[in-house]
Amino acid sequence: KLSQAKAYWQQLPSHLTKQEELIMIWLQQLVSAQQLEAAEQLLTKSLKNSWSAGLITQLGLLPASPNCKKHLVLAQSWLKKRPNDAALLHCLGRISQKLQQWEAALDYYLASHKISPQHSLCLEISLLYTALGRLEEAKFYNQQAILAMQKQLTKLPLP
């Protein structure tokens, strides 16, 4: 089935294979089939053609692979053109963490958080701080995540 899907993807007109929604669907199929190299190639090619926060996020979420160092170098080169891109910084943090570059991961995460605070990012920061034994910092970011999530709740009466 995967070979049929690949053949179908390759036969699609180029304007369709550049649509982010279709790229995401095809990416999920490749990752599910453990075709990580093909998934990595799809993402890097797509990002070179058209920048997208959604696609750069997916690059950071790919499972660890032997190509992580290559992704780190590529993403760092993109950072030169997009120094204030929160999604790119978050992706760099995730890639650095996969490479066990803990301090670099924290630096990227914190830079991303400064630009665009998100509760999921706060949780990632908290988990990394916890693993590093830096419990005060972990507690702070855990509380930030909880506060952000509370703002999304429907207001209900409390005693």
Side-chain angles (χ1 to χ4, degrees):
K1 288 186 177 183
L2 185 62
S3 61
Q4 290 175 332
K6 280 184 181 180
Y8 181 74
W9 177 260
Q10 291 169 348
Q11 292 174 0
L12 286 174
S14 65
H15 73 277
L16 291 178
T17 60
K18 292 178 182 176
Q19 290 186 2
E20 186 173 338
E21 289 178 32
L22 290 178
I23 293 168
M24 293 287 211
I25 292 168
W26 181 229
L27 178 67
Q28 289 174 343
Q29 297 304 311
L30 291 171
V31 172
S32 294
Q34 298 183 351
Q35 299 290 309
L36 295 183
E37 194 162 324
E40 293 165 355
Q41 289 173 0
L42 173 66
L43 277 173
T44 55
K45 179 182 175 187
S46 298
L47 284 162
K48 286 177 185 175
N49 290 332
S50 177
W51 188 258
S52 158
L55 293 178
I56 195 64
T57 297
Q58 292 304 309
L59 183 63
L61 292 172
L62 284 177
S65 78
N67 293 328
C68 276
K69 284 186 181 181
K70 180 177 153 186
H71 297 154
L72 183 66
V73 170
L74 182 60
Q76 287 171 332
S77 74
W78 291 332
L79 189 61
K80 292 174 186 170
K81 293 179 183 176
R82 297 173 172 83
N84 295 315
D85 189 311
L88 176 56
L89 288 161
H90 195 168
C91 173
L92 279 160
R94 287 174 168 161
I95 295 170
S96 296
Q97 191 168 347
K98 289 175 201 172
L99 293 169
Q100 300 180 8
Q101 297 176 1
W102 315 125
E103 291 302 320
L106 278 172
D107 289 344
Y108 287 126
Y109 286 152
L110 294 171
S112 177
H113 181 267
K114 187 175 180 179
I115 295 166
S116 178
Q118 296 179 16
H119 63 275
S120 59
L121 177 56
C122 286
L123 289 174
E124 288 180 77
I125 294 168
S126 176
L127 286 170
L128 184 51
Y129 272 136
T130 300
L132 292 171
R134 295 168 62 178
L135 301 181
E136 285 303 312
E137 291 103 328
K139 182 179 175 183
F140 173 80
Y141 282 97
N142 209 14
Q143 289 172 336
Q144 293 298 308
I146 290 169
L147 289 173
M149 291 172 68
Q150 285 176 343
K151 290 178 184 176
Q152 295 175 353
L153 295 175
T154 302
K155 303 278 187 218
L156 295 172
L158 294 169

